[in-house]
Amino acid sequence: MPPFDGFEPAWQVALEVADHMTHDAGRVPPDAYARLEAAWSPAQVVEIVGVISAFAMFNRFANALEIPPTR
């Protein structure tokens, strides 16, 4: 897991969850999820997980269609 130094603790855990979701087929360890729930409201947790999921889908969609990244 990369360090997320320089971010506030709540953002560090959100980035950790994003990293897990990206590299572990969407799975988040219970301890990381508990830290996410402790740092954010229930609605924010849903939004964070939804945004991470949406961007993962966009990436898979673009990869499947071989759409090159824009810069």
Side-chain angles (χ1 to χ4, degrees):
M1 189 82 34
F4 298 111
D5 300 334
F7 290 94
E8 296 174 12
W11 286 106
Q12 287 179 2
V13 71
L15 291 167
E16 178 187 349
V17 167
D19 197 58
H20 282 295
M21 289 180 66
T22 301
H23 296 107
D24 300 334
R27 292 177 184 85
V28 178
D31 62 313
Y33 192 81
R35 289 194 309 278
L36 187 71
E37 287 185 308
W40 301 91
S41 73
Q44 290 171 317
V45 169
V46 170
E47 186 171 352
I48 289 166
V49 171
V51 167
I52 295 165
S53 300
F55 275 90
M57 186 276 303
F58 297 151
N59 289 335
R60 289 188 174 117
F61 182 84
N63 288 345
L65 296 176
E66 298 181 359
I67 298 170
T70 57
R71 298 182 198 265

